[in-house]
Structures are given as structure tokens and as C-alpha cells.
Amino acid sequence: QVQLVESGGGLVQAGGSLRLSCAASGLPFSTYAMGWFRQAPGKEREFVSTISTSAGTTYYQDSVKGRFTISRDNAKNTVYLQMDSLKPEDTAVYYCVAGATATSMRRAQIQYWGQGTQVTVSS
């Protein structure tokens, strides 16, 4: 079956960095757009970033533009989210997602979800 396994979350001080990884299995990785969503306590799950199959197209939520970078390695079936200049408001559970296109995934049209990894940013 399809598995998306996130890693790299943790506790970091404001201004710090983390790199999330998501290892995918059970699906033809290079044919799926990938991305990240997050859910903060008491809030709805929200789009963070998506990347197309060839990595030629990327999208970011406005609040993370210039601070987060999404990338993928199709040879390793892995997608990454480099998060720099972290802020307390970035605290959330981060979910790896897979879907048809980077564009449709921005509208939460998601086919597969990971279990999530906690990111906590202290002030």
C-alpha cells in the first residue's frame, strides 16, 4: 500500500531551521505531484507548498514564501521541505501529501496523506 513517512520535525528556536523529509513507497513517485500541508492547534489543515512531478513548478503559501523551499529527489522517492527563519506561528503538525498536480493540490485535492511530524518553534 501507499506510505508517506515524514521525518525531521522537532523543537527549534525562532529564527532557526529544520529540514523535513518524506519517503514515499507503494506508488510511482515520479508521476505524482508532492507537497506539504500543516495543521496548527485549534486550526484547520492548510496548504504549505507543492511541487510538480519534474520539480519545474512550485507553489508556496504567502506566509512561508522566501523562508521555505520544497524540493524532490525522484531517484530516492523523497520530497523535502527546507524551513528557514522559523517563527512561532509555524508551529504545527506537518503532513506530506501526494496528488495529481501541484495546482490541484493547492485546493486540497489530495490522494494520499502521511501521518505527520510535529514542528514546534519556541519564541
Side-chain angles (χ1 to χ4, degrees):
Q1 76 271 23
V2 175
Q3 284 193 310
L4 303 177
V5 180
E6 303 95 338
S7 61
L11 174 64
V12 64
Q13 287 190 332
S17 298
L18 283 174
R19 188 194 196 203
L20 304 183
S21 299
C22 170
S25 61
L27 78 171
F29 182 78
S30 64
T31 69
Y32 278 80
M34 300 296 296
W36 296 89
F37 274 61
R38 68 185 180 186
Q39 186 168 21
K43 295 187 177 181
E44 292 188 353
R45 204 169 288 189
E46 64 177 5
F47 156 79
V48 175
S49 180
T50 56
I51 187 168
S52 63
T53 55
S54 64
T57 300
T58 58
Y59 296 105
Y60 296 93
Q61 183 196 109
D62 285 347
S63 70
V64 308
K65 281 180 182 176
R67 300 189 298 119
F68 290 11
T69 304
I70 192 170
S71 61
R72 65 187 295 162
D73 186 337
N74 286 346
K76 295 183 178 179
N77 287 4
T78 301
V79 62
Y80 305 96
L81 186 68
Q82 177 67 42
M83 305 186 295
D84 299 318
S85 301
L86 281 161
K87 304 176 180 180
E89 51 264 44
D90 295 318
T91 295
V93 177
Y94 283 71
Y95 296 90
C96 178
V97 294
T101 70
T103 303
S104 66
M105 289 169 66
R106 294 173 66 189
R107 301 189 295 271
Q109 295 177 20
I110 305 299
Q111 293 181 252
Y112 301 107
W113 292 84
Q115 292 298 307
T117 185
Q118 177 70 47
V119 171
T120 303
V121 184
S122 63
S123 56

